[in-house]
Coordinates of all heavy atoms in Angstrom, one line a residue:
M161 N 28.9 -65.5 -47.1 CA 27.6 -65.3 -46.7 C 27.6 -64.6 -45.3 O 28.2 -65.1 -44.4 CB 26.8 -66.6 -46.6 CG 25.3 -66.4 -46.3 SD 24.5 -68.0 -46.4 CE 24.5 -68.4 -48.1
E162 N 26.8 -63.5 -45.2 CA 26.8 -62.8 -44.0 C 25.6 -63.1 -43.1 O 24.5 -63.1 -43.7 CB 26.8 -61.3 -44.3 CG 26.7 -60.4 -43.1 CD 26.5 -58.9 -43.5 OE1 26.5 -58.6 -44.7 OE2 26.2 -58.1 -42.6
I163 N 25.8 -63.4 -41.9 CA 24.7 -63.8 -41.0 C 24.1 -62.5 -40.4 O 24.9 -61.7 -39.9 CB 25.1 -64.7 -39.9 CG1 25.6 -66.0 -40.4 CG2 23.9 -64.9 -38.9 CD1 26.2 -67.0 -39.4
I164 N 22.9 -62.3 -40.6 CA 22.3 -61.0 -40.0 C 21.2 -61.4 -38.9 O 20.5 -62.4 -39.1 CB 21.6 -60.2 -41.1 CG1 20.5 -61.0 -41.9 CG2 22.6 -59.6 -42.0 CD1 19.8 -60.1 -42.9
P165 N 21.2 -60.7 -37.9 CA 20.2 -60.9 -36.8 C 18.8 -60.8 -37.4 O 18.5 -59.9 -38.2 CB 20.5 -59.8 -35.8 CG 21.8 -59.3 -36.1 CD 22.0 -59.4 -37.6
L166 N 17.9 -61.6 -36.9 CA 16.6 -61.6 -37.4 C 15.9 -60.3 -37.1 O 15.1 -59.8 -37.9 CB 15.7 -62.7 -36.8 CG 16.0 -64.0 -37.4 CD1 15.4 -65.1 -36.5 CD2 15.4 -64.2 -38.8
A167 N 16.3 -59.6 -36.0 CA 15.7 -58.3 -35.6 C 16.0 -57.3 -36.7 O 15.3 -56.3 -36.9 CB 16.2 -57.9 -34.4
D168 N 17.1 -57.5 -37.5 CA 17.5 -56.5 -38.5 C 16.8 -56.8 -39.9 O 17.1 -56.1 -40.8 CB 19.0 -56.6 -38.7 CG 19.7 -56.0 -37.5 OD1 19.1 -55.4 -36.7 OD2 21.0 -56.2 -37.4
L169 N 16.0 -57.9 -39.9 CA 15.4 -58.1 -41.2 C 14.3 -57.0 -41.5 O 13.5 -56.8 -40.6 CB 14.6 -59.5 -41.2 CG 15.4 -60.7 -41.4 CD1 14.4 -61.9 -41.2 CD2 16.0 -60.7 -42.8
T170 N 14.5 -56.4 -42.5 CA 13.5 -55.3 -42.9 C 13.2 -55.6 -44.4 O 13.7 -56.4 -45.1 CB 14.2 -53.9 -42.8 OG1 15.2 -53.9 -43.8 CG2 14.8 -53.7 -41.4
A171 N 12.2 -54.7 -44.8 CA 11.8 -54.9 -46.2 C 12.9 -54.7 -47.2 O 12.9 -55.3 -48.3 CB 10.7 -53.8 -46.5
S172 N 14.0 -54.0 -46.8 CA 15.1 -53.8 -47.8 C 16.1 -55.0 -47.7 O 17.0 -55.1 -48.5 CB 15.7 -52.4 -47.6 OG 16.2 -52.4 -46.2
T173 N 16.1 -55.7 -46.6 CA 17.1 -56.8 -46.5 C 16.6 -58.2 -46.7 O 17.3 -59.1 -47.0 CB 17.8 -56.8 -45.0 OG1 16.8 -57.0 -44.1 CG2 18.6 -55.5 -44.8
V174 N 15.3 -58.3 -46.6 CA 14.7 -59.7 -46.8 C 14.6 -60.0 -48.2 O 14.4 -59.1 -49.1 CB 13.3 -59.7 -46.1 CG1 12.2 -59.0 -46.9 CG2 12.8 -61.1 -45.9
T175 N 14.9 -61.3 -48.6 CA 14.8 -61.7 -50.0 C 14.4 -63.2 -50.0 O 14.9 -64.0 -49.2 CB 16.1 -61.5 -50.7 OG1 16.0 -62.2 -52.0 CG2 17.3 -61.9 -50.0
C176 N 13.6 -63.6 -51.0 CA 13.2 -64.9 -51.1 C 14.3 -65.9 -51.4 O 14.3 -67.1 -51.1 CB 12.2 -65.1 -52.2 SG 10.6 -64.2 -52.0
S177 N 15.4 -65.3 -52.0 CA 16.5 -66.2 -52.4 C 17.3 -66.8 -51.3 O 18.0 -67.7 -51.4 CB 17.4 -65.5 -53.4 OG 18.0 -64.4 -52.8
T178 N 17.1 -66.2 -50.1 CA 17.8 -66.8 -48.9 C 16.8 -67.3 -47.9 O 17.1 -67.4 -46.7 CB 18.7 -65.7 -48.3 OG1 17.8 -64.6 -47.9 CG2 19.8 -65.3 -49.2
C179 N 15.6 -67.6 -48.4 CA 14.5 -68.0 -47.4 C 14.1 -69.4 -47.8 O 14.1 -69.8 -48.9 CB 13.3 -67.1 -47.6 SG 11.9 -67.5 -46.6
A180 N 13.9 -70.3 -46.8 CA 13.5 -71.6 -47.0 C 12.0 -71.7 -47.2 O 11.3 -72.5 -46.6 CB 13.9 -72.5 -45.8
A181 N 11.5 -70.8 -48.1 CA 10.1 -70.7 -48.3 C 9.2 -70.8 -47.1 O 8.2 -71.6 -47.0 CB 9.7 -71.9 -49.3
C182 N 9.5 -69.9 -46.2 CA 8.8 -69.9 -44.9 C 7.2 -69.8 -45.1 O 6.4 -70.5 -44.5 CB 9.2 -68.7 -44.0 SG 10.9 -68.7 -43.6
C183 N 6.8 -68.9 -46.1 CA 5.4 -68.7 -46.3 C 4.7 -69.9 -46.9 O 3.5 -70.0 -46.9 CB 5.2 -67.4 -47.1 SG 6.1 -67.4 -48.7
C184 N 5.5 -70.8 -47.5 CA 4.8 -72.0 -48.1 C 4.5 -73.1 -47.0 O 4.1 -74.2 -47.4 CB 5.8 -72.6 -49.2 SG 5.9 -71.4 -50.5
Q185 N 4.6 -72.7 -45.7 CA 4.1 -73.6 -44.7 C 2.8 -73.1 -44.1 O 2.2 -73.8 -43.3 CB 5.2 -73.7 -43.6 CG 6.5 -74.3 -44.0 CD 7.5 -74.3 -42.8 OE1 7.5 -75.2 -42.1 NE2 8.2 -73.2 -42.7
L186 N 2.4 -72.0 -44.6 CA 1.1 -71.4 -44.1 C -0.1 -72.1 -44.8 O 0.1 -72.6 -45.9 CB 1.1 -69.9 -44.4 CG 2.2 -69.1 -43.6 CD1 2.1 -67.7 -44.2 CD2 1.9 -69.1 -42.2
E187 N -1.2 -72.0 -44.1 CA -2.4 -72.5 -44.8 C -2.8 -71.6 -45.9 O -2.9 -70.4 -45.7 CB -3.6 -72.6 -43.8 CG -4.9 -73.1 -44.4 CD -5.7 -74.0 -43.6 OE1 -5.2 -75.0 -43.2 OE2 -6.9 -73.6 -43.4
V188 N -3.0 -72.2 -47.1 CA -3.4 -71.4 -48.2 C -4.8 -71.8 -48.7 O -5.0 -72.9 -49.2 CB -2.4 -71.5 -49.4 CG1 -2.9 -70.8 -50.6 CG2 -1.0 -71.1 -49.0
L189 N -5.8 -70.9 -48.5 CA -7.2 -71.2 -49.0 C -7.2 -70.9 -50.4 O -6.6 -69.9 -50.9 CB -8.1 -70.2 -48.2 CG -8.8 -70.7 -47.0 CD1 -9.5 -69.6 -46.4 CD2 -9.7 -71.8 -47.3
L190 N -8.0 -71.7 -51.1 CA -8.2 -71.4 -52.6 C -9.5 -70.7 -52.7 O -10.6 -71.3 -52.6 CB -8.2 -72.8 -53.4 CG -7.0 -73.6 -53.2 CD1 -7.1 -74.9 -54.1 CD2 -5.7 -72.9 -53.5
I191 N -9.4 -69.4 -53.0 CA -10.6 -68.5 -53.0 C -10.9 -68.2 -54.4 O -12.0 -67.6 -54.7 CB -10.4 -67.2 -52.1 CG1 -9.1 -66.5 -52.5 CG2 -10.5 -67.6 -50.7 CD1 -8.9 -65.3 -51.6
T192 N -10.1 -68.5 -55.4 CA -10.4 -68.3 -56.8 C -9.8 -69.5 -57.5 O -8.9 -70.2 -57.0 CB -9.8 -67.0 -57.4 OG1 -8.4 -67.1 -57.3 CG2 -10.3 -65.8 -56.7
D193 N -10.2 -69.7 -58.7 CA -9.7 -70.8 -59.5 C -8.6 -70.4 -60.4 O -8.8 -69.6 -61.3 CB -10.8 -71.5 -60.4 CG -10.3 -72.7 -61.2 OD1 -9.1 -73.1 -60.9 OD2 -11.0 -73.2 -62.0
T194 N -7.4 -70.7 -60.0 CA -6.1 -70.3 -60.8 C -5.5 -71.5 -61.6 O -4.5 -71.4 -62.2 CB -5.1 -69.7 -59.9 OG1 -4.7 -70.6 -58.9 CG2 -5.6 -68.4 -59.3
G195 N -6.3 -72.7 -61.5 CA -5.8 -73.8 -62.2 C -4.9 -74.7 -61.4 O -4.1 -75.6 -62.0
V196 N -4.9 -74.7 -60.1 CA -4.1 -75.5 -59.3 C -4.5 -77.0 -59.6 O -5.7 -77.3 -59.5 CB -4.3 -75.2 -57.8 CG1 -3.6 -76.2 -56.9 CG2 -3.9 -73.8 -57.5
P197 N -3.5 -77.9 -59.9 CA -3.8 -79.3 -60.2 C -4.5 -79.9 -58.9 O -4.1 -79.7 -57.8 CB -2.5 -79.9 -60.4 CG -1.6 -78.8 -61.0 CD -2.1 -77.6 -60.2
Q198 N -5.5 -80.8 -59.2 CA -6.3 -81.4 -58.1 C -5.4 -82.1 -57.1 O -5.7 -82.2 -55.9 CB -7.3 -82.3 -58.8 CG -8.5 -82.7 -57.9 CD -9.3 -81.5 -57.4 OE1 -9.6 -80.7 -58.2 NE2 -9.7 -81.5 -56.2
R199 N -4.3 -82.7 -57.6 CA -3.5 -83.5 -56.7 C -2.8 -82.7 -55.6 O -2.4 -83.2 -54.6 CB -2.4 -84.3 -57.5 CG -1.4 -83.4 -58.1 CD -0.4 -84.3 -58.9 NE 0.7 -83.5 -59.5 CZ 0.6 -82.8 -60.6 NH1 -0.5 -82.7 -61.2 NH2 1.7 -82.1 -61.1
F200 N -2.8 -81.4 -55.7 CA -2.3 -80.5 -54.7 C -3.4 -79.8 -53.8 O -3.0 -79.0 -53.0 CB -1.5 -79.4 -55.4 CG -0.2 -79.8 -56.1 CD1 0.0 -79.4 -57.4 CD2 0.6 -80.8 -55.5 CE1 1.2 -79.8 -58.0 CE2 1.8 -81.2 -56.2 CZ 2.0 -80.7 -57.4
I201 N -4.6 -80.3 -54.0 CA -5.7 -79.6 -53.3 C -6.3 -80.6 -52.2 O -6.5 -81.8 -52.4 CB -6.8 -79.2 -54.3 CG1 -6.4 -78.2 -55.3 CG2 -8.0 -78.7 -53.5 CD1 -7.3 -77.8 -56.4
A202 N -6.5 -80.0 -51.0 CA -7.1 -80.8 -49.9 C -8.3 -80.0 -49.5 O -8.6 -78.9 -49.8 CB -6.1 -80.9 -48.7
T203 N -9.1 -80.7 -48.6 CA -10.3 -80.0 -48.0 C -10.1 -79.8 -46.6 O -9.7 -80.7 -45.8 CB -11.5 -80.9 -48.3 OG1 -11.6 -81.2 -49.7 CG2 -12.8 -80.3 -47.8
D204 N -10.4 -78.6 -46.1 CA -10.2 -78.3 -44.7 C -11.4 -78.8 -43.9 O -12.4 -79.3 -44.4 CB -9.8 -76.9 -44.4 CG -11.0 -75.9 -44.7 OD1 -12.1 -76.4 -44.8 OD2 -10.8 -74.7 -44.7
D205 N -11.3 -78.6 -42.6 CA -12.4 -79.1 -41.7 C -13.7 -78.5 -41.9 O -14.8 -79.0 -41.4 CB -12.0 -78.9 -40.2 CG -10.8 -79.7 -39.8 OD1 -10.5 -80.7 -40.5 OD2 -10.2 -79.4 -38.8
W206 N -13.7 -77.4 -42.6 CA -15.0 -76.6 -42.9 C -15.4 -76.8 -44.3 O -16.4 -76.1 -44.8 CB -14.8 -75.2 -42.6 CG -14.5 -74.9 -41.1 CD1 -15.5 -74.8 -40.1 CD2 -13.3 -74.9 -40.5 NE1 -14.8 -74.7 -38.9 CE2 -13.5 -74.8 -39.1 CE3 -11.9 -75.1 -40.9 CZ2 -12.4 -74.7 -38.2 CZ3 -10.9 -75.0 -40.0 CH2 -11.1 -74.8 -38.7
G207 N -14.8 -77.7 -45.0 CA -15.2 -78.0 -46.4 C -14.6 -77.1 -47.5 O -14.9 -77.2 -48.6
G208 N -13.7 -76.2 -47.0 CA -13.0 -75.3 -47.9 C -11.8 -76.0 -48.6 O -11.3 -76.9 -48.1
E209 N -11.5 -75.5 -49.8 CA -10.3 -76.0 -50.5 C -9.1 -75.3 -50.1 O -9.1 -74.0 -50.1 CB -10.5 -75.9 -52.0 CG -11.6 -76.9 -52.6 CD -11.5 -76.9 -54.1 OE1 -11.3 -75.9 -54.8 OE2 -11.8 -78.0 -54.6
V210 N -8.1 -76.0 -49.8 CA -6.8 -75.4 -49.4 C -5.7 -76.2 -50.1 O -5.9 -77.3 -50.6 CB -6.6 -75.6 -47.9 CG1 -7.6 -74.8 -47.1 CG2 -6.6 -77.1 -47.4
M211 N -4.5 -75.6 -50.2 CA -3.3 -76.3 -50.7 C -3.0 -77.4 -49.8 O -2.9 -77.3 -48.5 CB -2.1 -75.3 -50.9 CG -2.3 -74.3 -52.0 SD -2.5 -75.1 -53.6 CE -1.0 -75.9 -53.9
L212 N -2.7 -78.6 -50.3 CA -2.3 -79.8 -49.5 C -1.0 -79.5 -49.0 O -0.1 -79.1 -49.6 CB -2.3 -81.0 -50.5 CG -1.8 -82.3 -49.9 CD1 -2.8 -82.9 -48.8 CD2 -1.6 -83.3 -51.0
R213 N -0.7 -79.9 -47.7 CA 0.6 -79.8 -47.1 C 1.0 -81.2 -46.7 O 0.2 -82.0 -46.2 CB 0.6 -78.9 -45.9 CG 0.6 -77.4 -46.2 CD 0.7 -76.5 -45.1 NE -0.6 -76.4 -44.3 CZ -0.8 -75.7 -43.3 NH1 0.2 -75.1 -42.7 NH2 -2.0 -75.8 -42.7
L214 N 2.3 -81.5 -46.9 CA 2.8 -82.8 -46.6 C 3.3 -82.9 -45.2 O 3.2 -81.9 -44.4 CB 3.9 -83.2 -47.6 CG 3.6 -83.1 -49.1 CD1 4.8 -83.5 -49.9 CD2 2.4 -83.9 -49.4
D215 N 3.7 -84.0 -44.7 CA 4.1 -84.3 -43.3 C 5.2 -83.3 -42.8 O 5.3 -83.1 -41.6 CB 4.5 -85.7 -43.1 CG 3.3 -86.7 -43.2 OD1 2.2 -86.2 -43.2 OD2 3.6 -87.9 -43.3
D216 N 6.0 -82.8 -43.7 CA 7.1 -81.9 -43.3 C 6.6 -80.5 -43.1 O 7.3 -79.6 -42.7 CB 8.2 -81.9 -44.3 CG 7.8 -81.5 -45.7 OD1 6.7 -81.0 -45.9 OD2 8.7 -81.6 -46.6
G217 N 5.3 -80.3 -43.4 CA 4.7 -79.0 -43.2 C 4.6 -78.0 -44.3 O 3.8 -77.1 -44.3
W218 N 5.4 -78.4 -45.4 CA 5.4 -77.5 -46.5 C 4.3 -77.9 -47.5 O 3.9 -79.1 -47.6 CB 6.7 -77.5 -47.2 CG 7.7 -76.5 -46.7 CD1 7.7 -75.1 -47.0 CD2 8.8 -76.7 -45.8 NE1 8.8 -74.6 -46.3 CE2 9.4 -75.5 -45.6 CE3 9.2 -77.8 -45.1 CZ2 10.5 -75.3 -44.7 CZ3 10.3 -77.7 -44.2 CH2 10.9 -76.4 -44.0
C219 N 3.9 -76.9 -48.4 CA 3.0 -77.1 -49.4 C 3.4 -78.2 -50.4 O 4.6 -78.3 -50.7 CB 2.8 -75.8 -50.2 SG 1.8 -75.9 -51.7
A220 N 2.4 -79.1 -50.8 CA 2.7 -80.2 -51.6 C 3.3 -79.7 -53.0 O 4.0 -80.5 -53.7 CB 1.5 -81.1 -51.9
A221 N 3.0 -78.5 -53.4 CA 3.5 -78.0 -54.7 C 4.9 -77.5 -54.7 O 5.4 -77.0 -55.7 CB 2.5 -77.0 -55.2
L222 N 5.5 -77.5 -53.5 CA 6.9 -76.9 -53.4 C 8.0 -78.0 -53.7 O 7.9 -79.1 -53.2 CB 7.1 -76.4 -51.9 CG 8.4 -75.7 -51.6 CD1 8.4 -74.3 -52.2 CD2 8.7 -75.7 -50.2
D223 N 8.9 -77.7 -54.5 CA 10.0 -78.5 -54.9 C 10.9 -78.5 -53.7 O 11.5 -77.5 -53.3 CB 10.7 -78.1 -56.1 CG 11.8 -79.0 -56.5 OD1 12.8 -79.1 -55.7 OD2 11.8 -79.6 -57.5
R224 N 11.1 -79.7 -53.1 CA 11.9 -79.7 -51.8 C 13.4 -79.5 -52.1 O 14.1 -79.2 -51.1 CB 11.7 -81.1 -51.1 CG 10.5 -81.3 -50.2 CD 9.4 -80.4 -50.4 NE 8.3 -80.7 -49.5 CZ 7.1 -80.4 -49.6 NH1 6.7 -79.8 -50.8 NH2 6.1 -80.6 -48.7
D225 N 13.9 -79.7 -53.2 CA 15.3 -79.5 -53.5 C 15.6 -78.0 -53.8 O 16.5 -77.4 -53.2 CB 15.7 -80.3 -54.7 CG 15.7 -81.8 -54.4 OD1 16.0 -82.1 -53.2 OD2 15.3 -82.5 -55.3
S226 N 14.8 -77.4 -54.7 CA 15.1 -76.0 -55.0 C 14.3 -75.0 -54.1 O 14.6 -73.8 -54.0 CB 14.6 -75.7 -56.5 OG 13.2 -75.9 -56.5
M227 N 13.3 -75.5 -53.3 CA 12.4 -74.7 -52.5 C 11.7 -73.6 -53.3 O 11.5 -72.5 -52.9 CB 13.2 -74.1 -51.3 CG 13.9 -75.0 -50.4 SD 12.7 -76.3 -49.7 CE 12.0 -75.5 -48.3
K228 N 11.4 -74.1 -54.5 CA 10.6 -73.2 -55.4 C 9.2 -73.8 -55.7 O 9.1 -75.0 -55.7 CB 11.4 -72.9 -56.7 CG 12.6 -72.0 -56.4 CD 13.3 -71.7 -57.7 CE 14.5 -70.7 -57.4 NZ 15.3 -70.5 -58.5
C229 N 8.3 -72.9 -56.1 CA 7.0 -73.4 -56.4 C 7.0 -74.1 -57.7 O 7.5 -73.5 -58.8 CB 6.0 -72.1 -56.4 SG 4.4 -72.6 -56.8
T230 N 6.4 -75.3 -57.8 CA 6.4 -76.0 -59.1 C 5.2 -75.6 -59.9 O 5.0 -76.1 -61.1 CB 6.3 -77.5 -58.8 OG1 5.1 -77.9 -58.1 CG2 7.6 -78.0 -58.1
I231 N 4.3 -74.9 -59.4 CA 3.1 -74.4 -60.1 C 3.0 -72.9 -60.2 O 1.9 -72.3 -60.1 CB 1.8 -75.0 -59.5 CG1 1.6 -74.7 -58.1 CG2 1.7 -76.6 -59.7 CD1 0.2 -74.9 -57.5
Y232 N 4.1 -72.3 -60.3 CA 4.2 -70.8 -60.2 C 3.1 -70.1 -61.0 O 2.5 -69.2 -60.5 CB 5.6 -70.4 -60.5 CG 5.8 -68.9 -60.1 CD1 6.1 -68.5 -58.8 CD2 5.8 -67.9 -61.0 CE1 6.2 -67.2 -58.4 CE2 6.0 -66.6 -60.7 CZ 6.2 -66.2 -59.4 OH 6.4 -64.9 -59.0
E233 N 3.0 -70.5 -62.3 CA 2.0 -69.8 -63.2 C 0.6 -70.0 -62.7 O -0.3 -69.3 -63.1 CB 2.3 -70.3 -64.6 CG 3.6 -70.0 -65.2 CD 3.9 -68.5 -65.2 OE1 3.0 -67.7 -65.4 OE2 5.1 -68.1 -65.0
K234 N 0.4 -71.1 -62.0 CA -1.0 -71.4 -61.6 C -1.2 -71.3 -60.1 O -2.2 -71.8 -59.5 CB -1.3 -72.9 -62.0 CG -1.4 -73.1 -63.5 CD -1.7 -74.5 -63.8 CE -1.8 -74.7 -65.4 NZ -2.1 -76.0 -65.7
R235 N -0.2 -70.6 -59.4 CA -0.3 -70.6 -57.9 C -1.6 -69.8 -57.5 O -2.1 -68.9 -58.2 CB 0.9 -69.9 -57.4 CG 1.1 -68.5 -57.7 CD 2.6 -68.1 -57.4 NE 2.8 -66.6 -57.5 CZ 2.8 -65.9 -58.6 NH1 2.6 -66.5 -59.8 NH2 3.0 -64.6 -58.6
P236 N -2.0 -70.1 -56.3 CA -3.3 -69.5 -55.8 C -3.1 -68.0 -55.6 O -2.0 -67.5 -55.4 CB -3.5 -70.1 -54.4 CG -2.7 -71.5 -54.5 CD -1.6 -71.1 -55.3
L237 N -4.3 -67.3 -55.5 CA -4.3 -65.9 -55.4 C -3.5 -65.4 -54.1 O -2.8 -64.4 -54.2 CB -5.8 -65.4 -55.3 CG -6.0 -63.9 -55.2 CD1 -5.4 -63.1 -56.4 CD2 -7.4 -63.6 -55.0
I238 N -3.8 -66.2 -53.0 CA -3.1 -65.8 -51.8 C -1.6 -65.8 -51.9 O -0.9 -64.9 -51.4 CB -3.6 -66.7 -50.6 CG1 -5.0 -66.4 -50.2 CG2 -2.7 -66.7 -49.5 CD1 -5.7 -67.2 -49.2
C239 N -1.1 -66.8 -52.7 CA 0.4 -66.8 -52.8 C 0.9 -65.6 -53.7 O 1.9 -65.1 -53.5 CB 0.8 -68.1 -53.6 SG 0.3 -69.6 -52.7
R240 N 0.0 -65.3 -54.7 CA 0.4 -64.1 -55.5 C 0.4 -62.8 -54.8 O 1.2 -61.9 -55.0 CB -0.7 -63.9 -56.7 CG -0.6 -65.1 -57.6 CD -1.9 -65.1 -58.5 NE -2.0 -66.4 -59.2 CZ -1.8 -66.7 -60.5 NH1 -1.4 -65.7 -61.2 NH2 -1.8 -67.9 -60.9
E241 N -0.5 -62.7 -53.7 CA -0.6 -61.5 -53.0 C 0.4 -61.4 -51.8 O 0.5 -60.4 -51.1 CB -2.0 -61.3 -52.5 CG -2.9 -61.1 -53.8 CD -4.3 -60.7 -53.4 OE1 -4.8 -61.1 -52.3 OE2 -5.0 -60.0 -54.2
F242 N 1.0 -62.5 -51.4 CA 1.9 -62.6 -50.3 C 3.2 -61.9 -50.8 O 4.0 -62.4 -51.6 CB 2.2 -64.0 -49.9 CG 2.8 -64.1 -48.5 CD1 2.1 -64.3 -47.4 CD2 4.2 -63.9 -48.3 CE1 2.6 -64.4 -46.1 CE2 4.8 -64.0 -47.1 CZ 4.0 -64.2 -45.9
E243 N 3.5 -60.7 -50.2 CA 4.5 -59.9 -50.8 C 5.9 -60.0 -50.0 O 5.9 -59.9 -48.8 CB 4.0 -58.4 -50.7 CG 4.8 -57.5 -51.6 CD 4.3 -56.1 -51.5 OE1 3.1 -55.9 -51.2 OE2 5.1 -55.2 -51.6
M244 N 6.9 -60.3 -50.8 CA 8.3 -60.3 -50.2 C 8.5 -58.9 -49.5 O 8.4 -57.9 -50.1 CB 9.3 -60.5 -51.2 CG 10.7 -60.7 -50.7 SD 11.9 -60.9 -52.0 CE 12.1 -59.3 -52.6
G245 N 9.0 -59.0 -48.2 CA 9.3 -57.7 -47.6 C 8.1 -57.1 -46.8 O 8.4 -56.2 -46.0
A246 N 6.9 -57.6 -47.0 CA 5.8 -57.1 -46.3 C 5.8 -57.6 -44.8 O 6.6 -58.5 -44.6 CB 4.5 -57.5 -47.0
L247 N 5.0 -57.1 -44.0 CA 5.0 -57.4 -42.6 C 4.8 -58.9 -42.4 O 5.5 -59.5 -41.6 CB 3.8 -56.6 -41.9 CG 3.8 -56.8 -40.4 CD1 5.0 -56.3 -39.7 CD2 2.6 -56.1 -39.8
E248 N 3.9 -59.5 -43.1 CA 3.6 -60.9 -42.9 C 4.8 -61.7 -43.3 O 5.2 -62.8 -42.6 CB 2.4 -61.4 -43.8 CG 1.1 -60.8 -43.5 CD 0.9 -59.4 -44.1 OE1 1.8 -58.9 -44.8 OE2 -0.2 -58.9 -43.9
C249 N 5.5 -61.3 -44.3 CA 6.7 -62.0 -44.7 C 7.8 -61.9 -43.6 O 8.4 -62.9 -43.3 CB 7.2 -61.4 -46.0 SG 9.0 -61.7 -46.4
I250 N 8.0 -60.8 -43.1 CA 9.1 -60.6 -42.1 C 8.7 -61.3 -40.9 O 9.6 -62.0 -40.2 CB 9.3 -59.1 -41.9 CG1 10.0 -58.4 -43.1 CG2 10.2 -58.8 -40.6 CD1 10.0 -57.0 -43.0
E251 N 7.5 -61.4 -40.5 CA 7.1 -62.2 -39.4 C 7.3 -63.6 -39.5 O 7.8 -64.3 -38.6 CB 5.6 -61.9 -39.0 CG 5.3 -60.6 -38.4 CD 3.8 -60.3 -38.1 OE1 3.0 -61.2 -38.5 OE2 3.6 -59.3 -37.6
E252 N 7.1 -64.2 -40.8 CA 7.4 -65.5 -41.0 C 8.9 -65.8 -40.9 O 9.4 -66.8 -40.4 CB 6.9 -66.0 -42.4 CG 5.4 -66.1 -42.5 CD 4.8 -67.0 -41.4 OE1 5.3 -68.1 -41.2 OE2 3.9 -66.5 -40.7
R253 N 9.7 -64.9 -41.5 CA 11.1 -65.0 -41.4 C 11.6 -65.1 -40.0 O 12.6 -65.7 -39.6 CB 11.8 -63.9 -42.2 CG 11.6 -63.9 -43.7 CD 12.2 -65.1 -44.3 NE 13.6 -65.2 -44.2 CZ 14.5 -64.7 -45.1 NH1 14.1 -64.2 -46.2 NH2 15.8 -64.8 -44.9
R254 N 11.0 -64.2 -39.1 CA 11.4 -64.2 -37.7 C 11.0 -65.4 -36.9 O 11.5 -65.5 -35.8 CB 10.9 -62.9 -37.0 CG 11.6 -61.7 -37.6 CD 11.1 -60.4 -36.9 NE 11.9 -59.3 -37.3 CZ 11.5 -58.0 -37.3 NH1 10.3 -57.7 -36.9 NH2 12.3 -57.1 -37.8
G255 N 10.3 -66.3 -37.5 CA 9.9 -67.5 -36.9 C 11.0 -68.5 -36.8 O 11.0 -69.5 -36.2
I256 N 12.2 -68.2 -37.5 CA 13.3 -69.0 -37.4 C 14.5 -68.3 -36.7 O 14.3 -67.2 -36.3 CB 13.8 -69.5 -38.8 CG1 14.1 -68.2 -39.7 CG2 12.8 -70.4 -39.5 CD1 14.7 -68.5 -41.0
T257 N 15.6 -69.0 -36.4 CA 16.6 -68.4 -35.4 C 17.7 -67.7 -36.2 O 18.4 -66.9 -35.5 CB 17.1 -69.4 -34.5 OG1 17.6 -70.5 -35.3 CG2 16.0 -69.9 -33.6
T258 N 18.0 -68.0 -37.4 CA 19.1 -67.4 -38.1 C 18.7 -67.0 -39.5 O 17.7 -67.6 -40.0 CB 20.4 -68.3 -38.2 OG1 20.0 -69.5 -38.9 CG2 21.0 -68.6 -36.9
A259 N 19.3 -66.1 -40.1 CA 19.0 -65.7 -41.4 C 20.3 -65.3 -42.1 O 21.3 -65.0 -41.5 CB 18.1 -64.5 -41.4
Y260 N 20.3 -65.5 -43.4 CA 21.6 -65.3 -44.2 C 21.2 -64.4 -45.4 O 20.1 -64.3 -45.8 CB 22.1 -66.6 -44.8 CG 22.3 -67.6 -43.8 CD1 21.3 -68.5 -43.4 CD2 23.5 -67.7 -43.1 CE1 21.6 -69.5 -42.4 CE2 23.8 -68.6 -42.1 CZ 22.8 -69.5 -41.8 OH 23.1 -70.4 -40.8
R261 N 22.2 -63.7 -45.8 CA 22.1 -62.9 -47.0 C 23.4 -62.9 -47.8 O 24.4 -63.2 -47.2 CB 21.5 -61.5 -46.7 CG 22.6 -60.6 -46.0 CD 22.1 -59.2 -45.9 NE 23.1 -58.4 -45.2 CZ 22.9 -57.2 -44.9 NH1 21.8 -56.5 -45.2 NH2 23.9 -56.5 -44.2
Ligands
SF4_494 S1 7.8 -64.0 -49.4 FE1 9.0 -63.8 -47.5 S2 8.5 -65.7 -46.3 FE2 7.9 -66.0 -48.5 S3 9.7 -67.1 -49.5 FE3 10.0 -64.8 -49.8 S4 11.2 -64.1 -48.1 FE4 10.4 -66.1 -47.5
SF4_495 S1 1.3 -73.0 -54.3 FE1 3.5 -72.4 -54.6 S2 3.8 -70.4 -53.7 FE2 1.8 -71.2 -52.9 S3 2.3 -72.2 -50.9 FE3 2.4 -73.7 -52.5 S4 4.6 -73.8 -53.2 FE4 4.2 -71.9 -52.1

């Protein structure tokens, strides 16, 4: 496994397979109904529906062993639109200190 500097992370080097699901720690608003099970839904301070996050900071629907989404087919629209290699993704990846590929 090759360690690469975070500054070198680009759209062509970043990949979800070597990421600890960084983006699954972000707040995810539910703006459409994609069938997310109620047990994974919380209400924010403004009454909006969001994905529930557990004490470790990650989304409740994330499998902690595989770091994969357990409701992939029913994941929220925001998760569907969060693109691997896009600016937001790379910024999330740079929030940690080492990266592997
Ligand atoms: S989209 Fe980006 S931040 Fe999210 S899991 Fe994949 S590499 Fe990590
Ligand atoms: S619903 Fe799935 S893809 Fe979206 S934040 Fe939760 S675990 Fe990640």
